[in-house]
Amino acid sequence: MNKKIFSGVQPTGNLHLGNYLGAIKNFVQLQNDKKNNCIYCVVDLHSITVKQDSKTLKKNIRETTAAFIASGLDSEKSIIFNQSAVPAHSEGAWILGCVSRMGWLSRMTQFKEKAGKDKEKASVGLYIYPVLMASDILLYDATHVPVGDDQKQHLELCRDIAQKFNHDFMSPNFLKPPEPLIQKEFARIMSLKDGNSKMSKSDPSDFSRINLTDEKDLIINKIKKAKTDAMPMPESTDNLDDRPEVLNLLGIYSILSNQNINKTKADFGGKNFSLFKDQLTELLIDKIIPIGKKIKDLLKDEKYLDEILNKGAEKADKLASKKIEEMKTIVGF
Ligand code: AQP
């Protein structure tokens, strides 16, 4: 079956290993299957759900675009654009916001996590973030959405919103509920400092994550300081539920080396932790440094990056405008 793929990344700086392994690496694999039509979006409207500095936002939009290209996305094969350049995303979000229910949004764990204790001070935008995400996806009739495990709940909500719109406006199959594409293993890369929290751009500690633009020495240092425990490296049959940090590092090693976790456990079982950390560091340097270097090179050519986004926006706008016009007619405008 031909798949229509849509996914996005927020331009909030500090793109990290979690974004790469949980999302962007898969974007590239999907793009390279000729049967797929892929649309990848720098979701700048989503990023302003928390306060952004306008100059930094502009820089981060280019940096996210550069990270896409440096990781292997190709603007000749995929549509690459920034969300705010296509007005249908916001228009669609308003219409879908009117069919979404407060109760549904109140259950979203990401809002609870990001809003923290003081929900009253969170922006309304942060609360309705998943509705905008539904608009992004449904405007393109995307069949599949590659995301990290943290976005699974938002995808389920997107399906509910599509079905409710179709039902309320008696337009069966107009909006197409999409399927999530989530890696079976290690879909959530965890913080290097706490195996129970996800690796995240907004973690105040830079040592909690490997950024795609980290230099070699910094990567060496971060892995050296990554939290482990006093026990030896696990044997292949060991259950690691109570050793989340160790499990996370083994997972990162396994994905980067394209091998099963059991093979990784067998390779390092009972050995010294420092040997494993050295090899993990080498692997990270091998896979991440070239991407970081390319990002930095691409950032020197702002015009080139802007051109990619502009051309992508033209293509995306053609598709999205058609769908939003149909949607407006259905609503009765
Ligand atoms: N730790 C992660 N493991 C696996 N996948 C992850 N993603 C993010 N963190 C991890 C996936 O990356 C894609 C883009 O994410 P995003 O930038 O749109 O937003 P996010 O999920 O909010 O990313 P962060 O880094 O966690 O940012 P903050 O700190 O702002 O919350 C998504 O597909 C996401 O699943």
Side-chain angles (χ1 to χ4, degrees):
M1 170 192 155
N2 286 8
K3 293 187 184 130
K4 279 193 200 165
I5 309 287
F6 181 96
S7 197
V9 175
Q10 294 189 69
T12 34
N14 296 337
L15 275 179
H16 53 75
L17 192 65
N19 298 128
Y20 177 68
L21 296 179
I24 305 174
K25 187 168 173 271
N26 300 337
F27 295 179
V28 178
Q29 270 168 9
L30 289 161
Q31 164 196 268
N32 292 341
D33 180 340
K34 287 205 179 81
K35 289 202 293 295
N36 298 334
N37 290 315
C38 299
I39 305 178
Y40 297 120
C41 186
V42 179
V43 286
D44 50 5
L45 295 173
H46 277 105
S47 70
I48 63 162
T49 52
V50 293
K51 190 157 176 18
Q52 303 291 333
D53 168 76
S54 23
K55 281 204 186 100
T56 315
L57 178 60
K58 187 98 199 156
K59 177 181 149 284
N60 286 340
I61 291 170
R62 292 193 179 111
E63 191 172 316
T64 306
T65 312
F68 280 178
I69 306 294
S71 304
L73 288 186
D74 177 347
S75 58
E76 297 294 320
K77 294 184 186 164
S78 299
I79 297 180
I80 297 172
F81 74 108
N82 62 319
Q83 192 184 25
S84 63
V86 178
H89 289 251
S90 314
E91 283 187 272
W94 179 258
I95 296 173
L96 296 177
C98 296
V99 297
S100 305
R101 303 293 97 180
M102 293 283 286
W104 297 354
L105 289 166
S106 303
R107 284 195 285 276
M108 294 297 112
T109 50
Q110 193 177 77
F111 174 75
K112 290 181 198 158
E113 279 165 22
K114 289 200 171 178
K117 288 198 187 84
D118 201 353
K119 272 201 296 209
E120 297 293 313
K121 289 218 171 112
S123 73
V124 175
L126 189 65
Y127 187 66
I128 58 168
Y129 177 114
V131 178
L132 177 59
M133 182 167 158
S135 170
D136 299 339
I137 296 164
L138 298 171
L139 278 174
Y140 299 95
D141 294 332
T143 57
H144 293 82
V145 183
V147 280
D149 177 67
D150 57 316
Q151 293 293 332
K152 196 169 165 197
Q153 197 186 26
H154 290 168
L155 253 290
E156 278 157 16
L157 181 74
C158 173
R159 294 173 58 85
D160 289 343
I161 294 174
Q163 275 152 356
K164 181 136 192 331
F165 180 94
N166 292 345
H167 176 267
D168 286 2
F169 292 100
M170 289 178 288
S171 50
N173 301 322
F174 173 67
L175 295 179
K176 314 271 186 292
E179 294 292 333
L181 283 179
I182 298 174
Q183 289 187 138
K184 289 196 181 63
E185 279 194 312
F186 301 106
R188 191 178 293 224
I189 303 298
M190 310 311 273
S191 155
L192 300 179
K193 305 205 94 179
D194 171 5
N196 291 311
S197 317
K198 82 165 186 163
M199 187 177 283
S200 155
K201 297 177 193 126
S202 52
D203 192 313
S205 168
D206 191 53
F207 273 70
S208 67
R209 59 181 167 260
I210 302 285
N211 301 305
L212 295 182
T213 49
D214 281 348
E215 299 287 349
K216 189 173 160 186
D217 288 348
L218 192 53
I219 295 182
I220 295 173
N221 224 344
K222 284 182 175 177
I223 296 299
K224 212 174 258 166
K225 296 213 168 122
K227 187 174 169 197
T228 49
D229 52 41
M231 290 188 281
M233 285 295 290
E235 302 287 350
S236 42
T237 50
D238 287 354
N239 181 318
L240 296 178
D241 287 350
D242 55 350
R243 301 179 71 187
E245 288 83 14
V246 175
L247 180 64
N248 187 43
L249 293 181
L250 284 168
I252 293 173
Y253 185 96
S254 304
I255 310 185
L256 284 173
S257 56
N258 285 319
Q259 73 176 20
N260 185 285
I261 175 102
N262 290 330
K263 165 94 174 66
T264 309
K265 279 185 186 170
D267 287 351
F268 293 100
K271 292 193 179 138
N272 203 319
F273 246 111
S274 63
L275 173 90
F276 168 68
K277 280 193 167 184
D278 286 349
Q279 301 226 358
L280 174 62
T281 304
E282 253 178 53
L283 197 54
L284 281 164
I285 290 171
D286 188 45
K287 304 278 180 188
I288 300 302
I289 292 286
I291 296 177
K293 193 175 168 308
K294 185 123 199 252
I295 293 176
K296 287 173 200 156
D297 283 348
L298 284 163
L299 282 173
K300 289 180 198 145
D301 195 348
E302 293 183 349
K303 208 167 142 242
Y304 171 71
L305 294 170
D306 292 350
E307 244 169 51
I308 288 179
L309 292 176
N310 291 340
K311 282 192 188 150
E314 256 177 52
K315 292 184 205 162
D317 192 53
K318 266 198 197 125
L319 300 171
S321 300
K322 185 166 174 285
K323 191 77 180 178
I324 197 76
E325 285 314 315
E326 289 169 8
M327 203 164 163
K328 285 182 182 171
T329 306
I330 288 172
V331 169
F333 293 150

